Amino acid sequence: MGDVSGATTWDVVVIGAGPAGLAAAGTAAQLGAEVLLLDEQAAPGGQIYRNMGSTSARQQAILGEDYAHGAYLLAALEEPNLHYQPDATVWQVTGEREVFYSVDGRTSHVLARQLIIATGALERPTPIEGWTLPGVMTVGALQTLLKSAMVPSGRLVLAGSGPLLLLLALQLQRAGADVARIVDTTPRSNAWRAIAYLPDALRGYDYLLKGVRMLRELERSRIPRTLYAEGLRAIGSDAGVSELRFCARGHWHTESCDLLLLHQGVVPNVQISRALRAEHDWDPVGRFWRPLLDTTCQSTLPGIAFAGDGAGIGGALAAAYQGEVAACGALARLQADHDHVTAAKLGRAASMAYSRHLAARPWLDALFAPATECLTPPDDVLVCRCEEVTAGTVRELARGGCLGPNQLKAFSRAGMGPCQGRYCGLTVCELLAEVHETSPADVGYYRLRNPVKPVTVADLANID
């Protein structure tokens, strides 16, 4: 470590202590680098392995063997030259690899010779009529509560698409919750589109076998499951949601519920990469943006790498391997006395394992691609919850000549609320692309700026 322009300098700074961040920090430290690992949570593990260091045997049985598998990543924190800082809110990162973060009201400023950003994924927004009612949550939010040993009461309905939807239904039933129904919105046509990716997916046969085992357990669970649902509407009052209305196979149905859980897959968290002005690619199958990376996970910004689901959705195991790849790449770029031979060998092995774990991903992305009505909801549905902007307002402004999300932000304030576009950005892009009959790749995305997280004047005044 050293001191440059008043900032402590580290060989490698890693942001995020999920599977990718833990693997990256542990690998870099093991190879001799001085590493700072920053994480916003109070304990390591990220969203996938949340609280994995303190869960009971019963909780691990509820959450499943994949969750328990992540415990090996905690060994990274035992590396002597790794400094782990929990409860750290990173609110600014610069292209010169400066990182500003706050802990307990005090702000620190560090400089990284190499920076690895592993901030994970966000749940794709699921804008339907009534999704702002009390008692309507995302699947990921409830899974976070379940990992904190909080089991919800009342009648639960899960609606949407993707493996996480099915996994949470099983976890909830194992925990003793009342899972009334799974309402699956995966379009029937997706299965035909996914067939083209199936031969390559067979290389990741172990991943596919896990899916088969999950479906068999779902059958044995006898949880009612409705397929090919559309037209979802949450109905209720200020007191909370009371039922879900939907259409399946040409007939309308109503399912009463005390808690409605929505899910349409996950997308990379690109808040920091966008604020850094790194170049991004549009994934036309997964319908999301991801930073453009080379084979060592380095972005178009020198010395700044991205790893894990924040770089492209691959799952926990793939994220850990990509974290190792990013760490080995960072060490190769450092002009220092580190074990470059071992780093190169580890990097090649991790890269091969990462590629194998991604083999099934294109098939999964095609199979669980979100339905069109989720991407471009009806006019009366709120898309920006912070500023209460409807899909109809976005379409009206687009038809009036608004070409991109940044112009729309000025006209409607969509994306200017506390979430800074995390929950409306993709929907706004899809709506603009729909009206202009083009792709979100041509429409673009919000031009994000620092701070990427709210910061108080007191935090700024107390900078270390």
Side-chain angles (χ1 to χ4, degrees), residues 320-335:
Y321 284 121
Q322 193 179 28
E324 293 180 24
V325 173
C328 293
L331 267 287
R333 290 187 290 272
L334 280 175
Q335 299 299 315

Side-chain angles (χ1 to χ4, degrees), residues 30-52:
Q30 182 183 355
L31 293 170
E34 294 288 341
V35 181
L36 173 63
L37 173 60
L38 302 172
D39 190 55
E40 193 168 24
Q41 305 300 324
Q47 297 299 332
I48 294 178
Y49 296 131
R50 178 180 285 270
N51 294 332
M52 65 180 174

Side-chain angles (χ1 to χ4, degrees), residues 124 161-163 185-198 201 283-288 313 359-371:
R124 183 190 300 278
S161 178
T185 62
T186 306
R188 188 194 299 266
S189 58
N190 281 12
W192 294 106
R193 295 193 185 104
I195 287 177
Y197 301 97
L198 190 55
D283 186 317
V285 178
R287 311 299 295 182
F288 54 67
I313 305 304
R361 198 71 230 177
W363 177 75
L364 282 171
D365 288 343
L367 182 64
F368 294 111

